[in-house]
């Protein structure tokens, strides 16, 4: 057994809380995970875990091992990156988490360019709208839309995008085009249930006056892509992110509603765990996404 592999295996078991989850994170069999942990325990003559049929708990020795092993792995990665900085590109597996719609529409089309720049990297893209435990799930970088409250993570702002009011040409031809924000209250509206604002849409006029208009819910969905699809199908007026709406607008499937009014904007943030050393593969991705997103026309 390679000592580094043994350390990484023990770290994965501790952070995921089980041999099964660790095997999935490391892409190895559960039996091999158990074997590596057993070899580390035998080599050091200590017990890292107390195992029962129902529960796995870490011992005091396991906690101490984890902290030291984590530091050693970080120091090793720093060593490798330092001595190869000018001679090779980053290598290994980079796990990225992102919201589903953003990942599908914006991030996925960018990744081939990233992989051409860094051909020795293997990228795993995990798309989910649920909260992600980066440590437990072994995620290197998480892209998040909206506020960040986890003080255990480092946040780097990538950019901002606005929310747009949109509707299909057929809907507007049938129901009329709103001329004023008050007109929204008479229209069928499509609600994204992910947003805390729900049916109370914030509106800022050209002269800077801020209002909130309560709209009539025609249908609700917990996906911005679904909300946009409903708008394209003529279900009503939708409040949707610019990175989703702009292509449909350019294709003539949607029209902006009240384009001179400001609605709201969200922040796109890259999150990564506090570490003494930030791996080169993570630094390269952060620099890449920052430049690419600033150059995109989907903001």
């Amino acid at each position: 057994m390679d000592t580094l592999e043994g350390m990484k295996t023990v770290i994965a078991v501790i952070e995921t809380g089980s041999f099964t989850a660790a095997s999935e994170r490391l892409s190895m069999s559960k039996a091999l995970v158990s074997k590596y942990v057993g070899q580390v325990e035998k080599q050091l003559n200590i017990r890292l875990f107390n195992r029962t049929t129902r529960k796995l708990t870490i011992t005091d020795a396991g906690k101490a091992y984890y902290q030291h092993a984590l530091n050693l792995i970080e120091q090793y990665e720093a060593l490798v990156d330092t001595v190869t900085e000018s001679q090779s590109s980053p290598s290994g597996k980079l796990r990225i988490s992102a919201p589903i719609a953003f990942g599908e529409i914006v991030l996925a089309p960018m990744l081939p360019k990233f992989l051409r720049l860094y051909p020795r990297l293997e990228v795993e893209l995990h798309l989910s709208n649920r909260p992600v435990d980066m440590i437990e799930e072994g995620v290197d970088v998480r892209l998040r839309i909206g506020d960040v409250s986890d003080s255990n993570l480092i946040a780097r702002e990538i950019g901002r995008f606005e929310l747009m009011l949109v509707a299909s040409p057929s809907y507007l031809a049938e129901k009329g085009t709103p001329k004023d924000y008050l007109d929204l209250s008479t229209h069928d509206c499509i609600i994204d249930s992910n947003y805390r604002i729900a049916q109370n849409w914030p509106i800022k006029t050209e002269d800077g006056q801020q209002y909130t208009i309560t709209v009539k819910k025609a249908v609700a969905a917990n996906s911005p892509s679904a909300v946009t699809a409903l708008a394209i199908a003529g279900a009503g007026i939708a409040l949707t992110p610019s990175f989703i709406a702009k292509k449909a607008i350019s294709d003539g499937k949607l029209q902006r509603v009240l384009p001179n009014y400001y609605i709201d904007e969200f922040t796109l943030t890259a999150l990564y765990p506090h570490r003494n050393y930030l791996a080169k593969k993570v630094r390269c991705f952060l620099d890449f996404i920052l430049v690419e997103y600033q150059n995109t026309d989907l903001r």
Side-chain angles (χ1 to χ4, degrees), residues 13 21 36 48 74 101 109 139 150 160 168 176 198 210 229 232 235-236 266-267:
V13 173
Y36 280 176
L48 298 171
E74 289 182 4
V139 172
D150 192 339
R160 295 172 179 268
S168 69
Q210 181 80 45
I232 291 172
F266 285 148
T267 302

Side-chain angles (χ1 to χ4, degrees), residues 101-173:
F102 180 84
E104 292 176 342
I105 296 170
V106 180
L107 183 57
M110 293 179 178
L111 288 179
K113 180 178 180 180
F114 178 70
L115 291 171
R116 286 194 295 270
L117 290 172
Y118 305 106
R120 298 177 63 207
L121 276 178
E122 175 189 343
V123 172
E124 284 189 1
L125 180 58
H126 298 270
L127 301 182
S128 175
N129 292 332
R130 63 171 176 79
V132 174
D133 187 322
M134 296 185 64
I135 302 299
E136 181 177 324
E137 298 179 41
V139 172
D140 296 301
V141 184
R142 179 188 178 194
L143 296 178
R144 175 177 167 79
I145 294 170
D147 298 333
V148 177
S149 58
D150 192 339
S151 60
N152 294 318
L153 301 173
I154 297 175
R156 180 175 177 181
E157 183 174 320
I158 302 300
R160 295 172 179 268
F161 61 86
E162 65 174 316
L163 291 175
M164 293 179 170
L165 289 170
V166 295
S168 69
S170 61
Y171 174 86
L172 295 175

Side-chain angles (χ1 to χ4, degrees), residues 34-97:
S34 180
K35 178 181 176 181
Y36 280 176
V37 170
Q39 288 178 343
V40 171
E41 290 180 321
K42 182 177 180 181
Q43 186 180 56
L44 300 177
N45 193 30
I46 59 173
R47 181 174 289 278
L48 298 171
F49 304 97
N50 290 318
R51 307 166 180 81
T52 68
T53 55
R54 293 186 177 182
K55 192 174 182 181
L56 180 73
T57 57
I58 182 173
T59 64
D60 288 341
K63 293 175 182 176
Y65 180 91
Y66 171 73
Q67 292 300 329
H68 288 291
L70 202 60
N71 290 332
L72 286 172
I73 292 296
E74 289 182 4
Q75 290 173 28
Y76 175 76
E77 290 177 347
L79 169 65
V80 172
D81 283 351
T82 298
V83 299
T84 63
E85 185 75 37
S86 61
Q87 296 154 351
S88 68
S89 63
S91 61
K93 185 177 293 185
L94 178 67
R95 293 182 175 89
I96 305 168
S97 172

Side-chain angles (χ1 to χ4, degrees), residues 15-32:
E15 291 183 344
T16 62
S18 75
F19 281 43
T20 301
S23 70
E24 293 173 355
R25 172 165 149 181
L26 297 171
S27 300
M28 66 172 65
S29 69
K30 182 179 175 181
L32 190 55

Side-chain angles (χ1 to χ4, degrees), residues 229-298:
L230 285 162
I232 291 172
I237 297 176
L239 186 59
T240 194
S242 55
F243 69 81
I244 297 178
K246 282 192 172 181
K247 185 176 188 308
I249 291 172
S250 65
D251 291 344
K253 296 178 180 178
L254 290 175
Q255 292 179 205
R256 287 200 70 170
V257 174
L258 301 176
N260 294 327
Y261 285 72
Y262 172 80
I263 309 302
D264 201 356
E265 68 176 9
F266 285 148
T267 302
L268 173 66
T269 306
L271 304 174
Y272 48 96
H274 278 286
R275 290 284 190 261
N276 293 327
Y277 176 74
L278 183 62
K280 184 178 179 181
K281 62 183 180 181
V282 176
R283 285 187 281 124
C284 288
F285 177 75
L286 292 174
D287 293 341
F288 172 83
I289 190 66
L290 183 63
V291 171
E292 290 299 308
Y293 186 72
Q294 294 303 320
N295 290 334
T296 184
D297 62 353
L298 297 174

